[in-house]
Amino acid sequence: MEEKEISQAVIGRLPRYFRYLGELKDEGIERVSSQELSDIMRVTASQIRQDLNNFGGFGQQGYGYNVGYLYEEIGKILGLHKEHNLIIVGAGHLGQALVNYMNFERRGFIFRGIFDSKKELHGIRIREIEVRPMEEMEQFVRENGIDIAVLTIPKNGAVEVAERLVSCGIRGIWNFAHVDLHVPDHIRVENVHLSDSLMKLSYNLASHDG
Amino acid sequence: MEEKEISQAVIGRLPRYFRYLGELKDEGIERVSSQELSDIMRVTASQIRQDLNNFGGFGQQGYGYNVGYLYEEIGKILGLHKEHNLIIVGAGHLGQALVNYMNFERRGFIFRGIFDSKKELHGIRIREIEVRPMEEMEQFVRENGIDIAVLTIPKNGAVEVAERLVSCGIRGIWNFAHVDLHVPDHIRVENVHLSDSLMKLSYNLASHDG
């Protein structure tokens, strides 16, 4: 399917559709109308139709959506029918938590290597995956067809590591470092700025005081 | 300052302003124009002026912004001048990673208690904080003035735990469970759906394939 440029807002909502459809599927539900989907997802039916129309529709007037089909198709749009090879840079608590989180692997995101600058961590295994020194990163990326790097390092080192990753052919960076990475346009970056998220919660609490 | 309703998009950008201003402050820079801020943050100067005008401006024509003052004021808007008392529900890898992440505490987010349903974790300490059984949660929240609960549990239990938290007076939930929580309007929820974020990255990689 040749796609036009889809807004990041729409793309940001796709995983949520995927999640809800997965749950309906698990419950054995085969068809759902946009109105029913609207009720459980608490967005408007017209929003749902508009979002899905970006990808060619999927629904039939008066029939609704076929849950299994729509689930599969959104999965494909999200690139979940292919395996992704990941490395994690930063074997601290957060890095370890992500490696230990099995759901990613179930979706085809496979952690292949873990890298850290701390000597005392080298050779340690987290779920069978050995922690390696940073010097081996570029070669490992090239030899193992790594397409996504997860950055769970402090912000000071993150910019330089991102540059090294770009130069050895990584295509996507899942960035937990508390810094904005400026990389070439063909590299995709998805940020998880935890502090920003917590501050937003704090704002919303403060603005409802008194 | 009496505030009008500010859009969540603007609020979502405030922590980023706060972060960049903090860096300028650390570098000893006292004044910054919206154009300079625009260059380092890679958003338009007019966006910056518009965003900050929501809170009354802060800038003087031809003078720019006073970095220290703006940093303080945005911090106040974000509610960072007050301490927040947090509990974490879920002492798994992710919960432990968050407790161990010192930057939250530096911003006034203090972890007071950790709760988990697993008996074998009870009594264990993570950074001096004891893991307690779920049964003690409500009383602990009430007695320790807890205002924010962090949910790092699987999605199955999250909805019920959220209801219990609401009923004992929690005001904000930082939700890492992979489920949408439907809580009363006066409760603030901020979601960190890690799988959704990773799927968004996957989409952006897939949509740029050959």
Side-chain angles (χ1 to χ4, degrees), chain B residues 111-125:
Chain B
F111 290 109
R112 302 292 182 191
I114 306 172
F115 295 85
D116 201 290
S117 57
K118 288 204 191 68
K119 273 199 179 126
E120 60 269 32
L121 293 177
H122 299 157
I124 288 180
R125 285 173 185 272

Side-chain angles (χ1 to χ4, degrees), chain B residues 156-196:
Chain B
N156 299 338
V159 170
E160 189 220 321
V161 168
E163 282 169 7
R164 285 173 58 185
L165 288 164
V166 168
S167 73
C168 67
I170 216 89
R171 297 175 56 234
I173 297 178
W174 199 22
N175 177 41
F176 288 77
H178 202 208
V179 64
D180 298 318
L181 302 174
H182 301 302
V183 295
D185 279 346
H186 66 284
I187 311 290
R188 303 283 126 188
V189 176
E190 178 71 21
N191 292 305
V192 181
H193 290 322
L194 293 178
S195 296
D196 288 13

Side-chain angles (χ1 to χ4, degrees), chain A residues 163-176:
Chain A
E163 283 169 8
R164 286 173 56 185
L165 288 165
V166 167
S167 74
C168 66
I170 217 88
R171 298 176 54 235
I173 297 178
W174 200 22
N175 177 40
F176 288 77

Side-chain angles (χ1 to χ4, degrees), chain B:
Chain B
M1 172 172 47
E2 198 58 53
E3 279 156 27
K4 56 184 185 302
E5 196 67 36
I6 313 284
S7 85
Q8 288 293 313
V10 175
I11 296 155
R13 288 193 288 268
L14 283 184
R16 195 159 173 264
Y17 288 113
F18 186 72
R19 172 152 49 93
Y20 276 89
L21 288 163
E23 285 171 11
L24 290 173
K25 192 166 160 272
D26 289 346
E27 290 166 23
I29 293 166
E30 289 173 10
R31 280 184 206 182
V32 68
S33 68
S34 51
Q35 189 53 53
E36 288 164 329
L37 205 49
S38 155
D39 290 342
I40 54 171
M41 292 186 63
R42 307 202 184 187
V43 292
T44 65
S46 103
Q47 163 109 81
I48 292 174
R49 282 189 298 265
Q50 271 178 40
D51 282 351
L52 298 181
N53 275 338
N54 279 297
F55 305 96
F58 308 115
Q60 280 170 34
Q61 201 69 35
Y63 174 93
Y65 298 104
N66 177 314
V67 170
Y69 176 73
L70 187 54
Y71 177 80
E72 291 295 323
E73 289 302 307
I74 293 182
K76 279 186 208 161
I77 293 168
L78 288 169
L80 303 179
H81 55 308
K82 299 182 212 164
E83 244 180 33
H84 291 284
N85 294 315
L86 280 68
I87 60 165
I88 282 215
V89 185
H93 295 287
L94 182 58
Q96 294 192 27
L98 295 175
V99 174
N100 278 302
Y101 189 61
M102 302 295 296
N103 277 344
F104 300 141
E105 219 153 278
R106 226 170 282 150
R107 295 268 174 253
F109 299 94
I110 320 287
F111 290 109
R112 302 292 182 191
I114 306 172
F115 295 85
D116 201 290
S117 57
K118 288 204 191 68
K119 273 199 179 126
E120 60 269 32
L121 293 177
H122 299 157
I124 288 180
R125 285 173 185 272
I126 305 168
R127 271 190 50 221
E128 320 263 297
I129 308 164
E130 190 186 334
V131 179
R132 295 163 198 270
M134 291 297 295
E135 294 72 34
E136 297 177 11
M137 184 177 71
E138 282 91 340
Q139 194 180 351
F140 188 94
V141 165
R142 287 196 197 96
E143 288 179 357
N144 293 276
I146 304 299
D147 53 350
I148 297 177
V150 187
L151 292 196
T152 49
I153 50 178
K155 68 175 180 179
N156 299 338
V159 170
E160 189 220 321
V161 168
E163 282 169 7
R164 285 173 58 185
L165 288 164
V166 168
S167 73
C168 67
I170 216 89
R171 297 175 56 234
I173 297 178
W174 199 22
N175 177 41
F176 288 77
H178 202 208
V179 64
D180 298 318
L181 302 174
H182 301 302
V183 295
D185 279 346
H186 66 284
I187 311 290
R188 303 283 126 188
V189 176
E190 178 71 21
N191 292 305
V192 181
H193 290 322
L194 293 178
S195 296
D196 288 13
S197 166
L198 188 52
M199 286 185 202
K200 201 174 160 201
L201 178 59
S202 168
Y203 169 87
N204 282 319
L205 288 174
S207 71
H208 283 73
D209 276 348

Side-chain angles (χ1 to χ4, degrees), chain A residues 178-190:
Chain A
H178 201 208
V179 64
D180 298 318
L181 302 174
H182 301 300
V183 295
D185 279 346
H186 67 284
I187 311 290
R188 302 284 127 188
V189 177
E190 179 70 22

